[in-house]
Amino acid sequence: MSISKSYFDTLENGEDVEIYKITNKNGAVAELMTLGAGIHALKAPDRNGELADVVLGFDKAKHYINPDFGYQGLSVGRFANRIRDARFSIDGVEYHTPANQGTWTLHGGGRFSFTNWDIKRISEQSVTFTRFSPDMEDGFPGNLRMDIQYTLTDDNTLRIEYTAKSDKKTVVNPTNHAYFNLSGDKSKTIEEHYLQINADKFTETDSSQLPTGELTEVRGTMMDFTELHKIGDRINEPFRAVLGDVGYDNNYCLRNTEFGKMAQAAILYDKESGRQLEVWTDLPGIQLYCGGWLEKTGSIGKNGSYVTYRRGVALETQFYPDSLNIPDFPFTYTMPNEEFKTVTELRFSVK
Ligand code: BGC
């Protein structure tokens, strides 16, 4: 196990973005950056022990902070995914968040992703980023401190622990927005990847992809990933909850709804390389997004690689989109001076 630090790039405000590289005893690598407390690279072995970088990303900070490039690898806060009409209420008080996409808020307005985080703690196998968000920053109540700790274990798991504390009752729904391409070859689309999601229902959406509040059975529809099968099998089927051409960009309701209890949420598998990723979380939802909003051409990614249409699959663990406005959705408020904590693990193996 070792950790090293290197310079990545400088932001317009003069701040340097640093990368912390953790290497485990198998040679697996996690490169974590201060920008958006994000994942810059993850190197995992294939069935012959060959390491390859399995996440999309860029060589330049300015690409990471371009919202049109899809929040590659970045942490998202305070509230991931969508907030309808960019507003919500807590105990009768209405709060207004940035309408940074259409009439709604996407990914809390983006600030948590597009700013540089501080370092709180470093150990041989972990790095902890921290960010202070003042009361009413982007409309969210409470002076809030969030820490994100990444730990790379010797069994090729990247553990992501989010903790937050606020002096007022507030909402916290963090995620990480890495896009996986387990083949290591980013010129390939992810349509050949196999996927299983441990969910029987998804959150029904309207034409703006905002939840209607209904939960719909996946069985009998293209949304069904209850058994491992290729993402490409049905991605182009017409279906009301999926925008044609974009493909999957939907929240699944995980079977495990007990917040705080870890369970397997999804399995992603690339047959050719043998690489498998299991996503474990204590959150009730996961967004399956296959990069269908990304540009169709261009290779501006790391070392000229493709960060384009369907080259990566994001599996974003989360409370359901807009859960702070839909009383029936499972959600846990962050109470004053009490620690909010959630954990997601990315467990890599070969098959
Ligand atoms: C959203 C997509 C969006 C992507 C990048 C996902 O969580 O569901 O609609 O394009 O993030 O911002």
Side-chain angles (χ1 to χ4, degrees):
M1 236 359 132
S2 70
I3 190 160
S4 62
K5 172 179 153 184
S6 59
Y7 165 81
F8 177 57
D9 201 353
T10 303
L11 299 174
E12 257 179 24
N13 65 7
E15 285 175 20
D16 284 348
V17 177
E18 311 279 4
I19 288 182
Y20 288 79
K21 176 177 171 184
I22 311 174
T23 309
N24 75 5
K25 72 161 200 255
N26 315 315
V29 167
E31 291 184 21
L32 309 158
M33 60 179 173
T34 49
L35 179 59
I39 298 174
H40 172 64
L42 280 181
K43 294 181 186 152
D46 68 5
R47 65 164 72 82
N48 302 316
E50 286 286 317
L51 290 174
D53 185 6
V54 296
V55 291
L56 310 189
F58 302 105
D59 289 328
K60 290 194 170 58
K62 71 170 187 207
H63 294 325
Y64 276 110
I65 63 177
N66 180 340
D68 292 339
F69 292 169
Y71 294 69
Q72 303 286 331
L74 304 174
S75 297
V76 177
R78 293 185 189 189
F79 196 94
N81 214 289
R82 290 156 179 78
I83 303 176
R84 185 185 283 272
D85 295 335
R87 56 152 295 280
F88 64 97
S89 299
I90 300 179
D91 299 336
V93 182
E94 188 162 297
Y95 298 97
H96 296 266
T97 48
N100 60 330
Q101 206 186 60
T103 53
W104 58 93
T105 303
L106 180 71
H107 298 329
R111 188 189 300 271
F112 273 52
S113 309
F114 304 143
T115 51
N116 222 17
W117 288 50
D118 297 321
I119 293 291
K120 179 168 183 174
R121 218 173 21 243
I122 308 279
S123 80
E124 235 186 42
Q125 60 178 126
S126 73
V127 48
T128 310
F129 299 101
T130 187
R131 178 165 197 277
F132 176 72
S133 175
D135 187 24
M136 298 307 290
E137 186 182 46
D138 299 323
F140 292 98
N143 288 296
L144 178 111
R145 174 156 300 275
M146 186 180 286
D147 293 347
I148 302 181
Q149 176 168 304
Y150 290 96
T151 305
L152 181 66
T153 67
D154 276 332
D155 53 5
N156 296 352
T157 291
L158 184 69
R159 181 177 163 88
I160 313 173
E161 290 178 68
Y162 304 84
T163 47
K165 215 178 236 188
S166 159
D167 57 359
K168 282 192 192 153
K169 183 170 171 185
T170 193
V171 293
V172 175
N173 182 18
T175 195
N176 177 277
H177 213 306
Y179 292 67
F180 302 100
N181 187 323
L182 300 181
S183 74
D185 176 355
K186 292 156 187 102
S187 69
K188 290 187 179 157
T189 77
I190 43 69
E191 291 173 38
E192 292 295 307
H193 278 49
Y194 288 72
L195 177 67
Q196 178 184 313
I197 301 180
N198 299 327
D200 301 305
K201 292 181 179 162
F202 68 96
T203 45
E204 193 69 55
T205 42
D206 65 15
S207 56
S208 306
Q209 290 185 299
L210 290 158
T212 60
E214 281 163 278
L215 309 182
T216 304
E217 291 283 336
V218 296
R219 286 195 179 74
T221 76
M222 69 178 287
M223 303 296 291
D224 189 349
F225 280 100
T226 50
E227 276 168 33
L228 200 69
H229 69 88
K230 277 190 198 170
I231 294 176
D233 283 349
R234 288 183 290 201
I235 195 171
N236 295 318
E237 272 182 23
F239 187 62
R240 61 174 187 282
V242 173
L243 298 184
D245 206 38
V246 173
Y248 298 108
D249 184 9
N250 304 83
N251 173 68
Y252 282 80
C253 312
L254 295 170
R255 285 186 197 128
N256 172 40
T257 53
E258 199 182 312
F259 180 52
K261 184 179 150 215
M262 288 294 276
Q264 188 196 60
I267 303 172
L268 186 68
Y269 171 59
D270 174 49
K271 202 170 186 176
E272 214 177 300
S273 66
R275 287 190 191 91
Q276 175 169 276
L277 164 66
E278 284 173 64
V279 180
W280 284 65
T281 188
D282 59 3
L283 285 162
I286 195 166
Q287 185 84 8
L288 167 63
Y289 170 53
C290 295
W293 290 107
L294 296 174
E295 285 176 9
K296 295 245 158 133
T297 54
S299 47
I300 51 164
K302 287 176 272 188
N303 304 313
S305 66
Y306 292 80
V307 181
T308 45
Y309 189 68
R310 294 190 184 169
R311 292 314 199 282
V313 51
L315 293 163
E316 307 150 54
T317 55
Q318 60 188 355
F319 288 112
Y320 305 171
D322 204 30
S323 47
L324 70 195
N325 280 317
I326 302 180
D328 287 347
F329 283 1
F331 186 64
T332 301
Y333 284 91
T334 298
M335 303 309 278
N337 305 313
E338 283 180 21
E339 185 177 82
F340 168 93
K341 182 173 180 184
T342 176
V343 178
T344 289
E345 286 183 357
L346 308 175
R347 303 186 182 178
F348 292 94
S349 59
V350 288
K351 206 167 90 174

